[in-house]
Amino acid sequence: MLGAAQFVMVLDSTVMNVSISQVVADLKTSVSEVQLAITAYTLVMAAFMLTGAKLGDIWGRRRAFSVGLAIYGTGSLITALSPNVTVLLIGWSGIEGLGAVLVIPAIFALTAVNYSGHERAMAYGLLGGIAGAGAAAGPLIGGFVTTVLSWRVVFGAETAVVLVLLTLVHRIGEQAQESRPTLDRVGVGLSALGLGLTVFAILKISTWGLFVPTGALTIAGTRITPFGLSAVPFLIFAGLVVLGCFFRWEERVERAGRAPLLRADLLKIAQMRAGLSTLVSQYLILAGTFFVLPLYLQLVLGKDALQTGVKILPISITMMLAAVLGPRLATRTSPRRVVQIGLGFLLVSIAALMATISPSLSSLPFALSLAGFGVGIGLSISQLGNVVMSSVGESRSSEAGGVQGAAQNLGQSLGTALIGAVLLTGLTVGFHERVLADPSIPAAAQQQIVSASEEGVPMVSQGQFKTAVEQAGVHGAQADVLTTYYNESQIEALKRALLLACAFVLVGLWFARDLPGEALAKDEGEDMHVPSGEHSRGEAVV
């Protein structure tokens, strides 16, 4: 049951990504406004994840899970019935996002209550595998339903699933809490502002540029480029300053004997820090790779949303298998070793993907590379949830779950933003280099082409690019040459983006050094007083 909720949470955003064109046509809006909705959904989750976790402590985890599901289902229904993009923003980005921040931490906390030892490790492994499989299966499910029926059906079906889950919530065991903390409202404001600013800035890297502005923040028609630089580093710095104030405030609240939103000592636990750092790197790689693959399949090879989902299905299959296998391996070896094996698979598989990306698809090598990628992610994620959650006692499981949810969200935002920025920058630079190096193109035309695309060459299909070139007055052989250069630049940029993913695999290996070097104790959850009979019921929960 918790796994079903996890799957729905992850599925939601991937469905929207492959449904953008139909949503734009249906709601008579623009791609930029739908992308705003996607960004806002991420921001709401990032900003309020810690608050959602604390509300789980105040209300009780099962109640928070139920309330979150009800809010999420309401948002899904509003989204399914949206007559315009404003209602979509309210239903999906706002209401669904607020529901998710209650559900996600509660999933981790309730897993800690209902399982212990090896069973808990298996449960966290399955939750990680389900999350990854949801991300991989999202394009397939969304593509199929969007192509055959409508994107609205996906969100309507989510509401139906939520209603079923709400009827089963009573089967989830929960430990009685001795006291109910109060909500630190100042902490809520500071954490929401700090996390919101940081994640927003990261998400805008691909649009505004990291340092050199490729676009700009515009307020009242005025472009904001401080000191001639992108606004991104300044917003990130502002977010980090606010987060620094948040941690100072939390220390003050704790010294005064009140309940902080996040106790400062949580991030001082070595096992927690190692697990979170590695988790961020894994979700960065996952999100970044899932950003690159659909672009390759749809814009370079011309696949539709359904065909794209079918092509990346090997990831879902092997990820789930590895997520089941991972906890079994952890009974014989350490989480560190299992994660390192998974990262080894990732390194080889991403390198193989770089070799297979070309204007024509070699299906078997591509499928094998994706299968290896799924094994790598599945093995790694199968360990990290248990590493993070077992680093604290059950009384702090909501708190740890909130931090873990924030880390996942941060990793996904970083992956999409950084790898997207490398992709778009590489495309622009590669295209300009080819145009400037071609002596058959007059110097004046070269400068005109470069100047016209100075703020970035968009990632579009070859047909769309050629149409744009012809509309700009370039025809015949010269248009064909520019289209060829664009195609070559696309392939090169996609490979550069995957190369960055490889680099973050190495970063993950660095963080993994500090993961537990021995198998986590099978009885690490025995201090959690699960009510009699609840544990056996919990076996059906995940």
Side-chain angles (χ1 to χ4, degrees), residues 284-296:
L284 188 155
I285 295 164
L286 182 64
T289 305
F290 272 43
F291 179 79
V292 169
L293 290 177
L295 292 178
Y296 168 60

Side-chain angles (χ1 to χ4, degrees), residues 18 135-136 139-140 289-315 353 356-367 369-370 423 459-462 487 490-491 494 498:
V18 299
L140 175 62
T289 305
F290 272 43
F291 179 79
V292 169
L293 290 177
L295 292 178
Y296 168 60
L297 292 168
Q298 294 181 11
L299 299 184
V300 177
L301 301 183
K303 306 290 184 185
D304 62 25
L306 177 58
Q307 291 169 328
T308 298
V310 171
K311 285 295 182 184
I312 63 178
L313 189 58
I315 293 180
L353 275 175
T356 61
I357 285 184
S358 69
S360 59
L361 179 66
S362 299
S363 295
L364 182 58
F366 186 72
S369 300
L370 295 184
L423 176 68
M459 190 75 176
V460 296
S461 69
Q462 294 169 52
N487 177 236
Q490 278 184 320
I491 299 297
L494 288 164
L498 288 175

Side-chain angles (χ1 to χ4, degrees), residues 43 68 72-73 140 150 162 199 208 251 299 345 362 370 390 420 492 497 501-502:
L43 283 174
Y72 190 90
L140 175 62
S150 167
V162 165
V199 172
W208 296 345
E251 289 174 350
L299 299 184
F345 270 97
S362 299
L370 295 184
S390 65
E492 182 181 288
C502 273

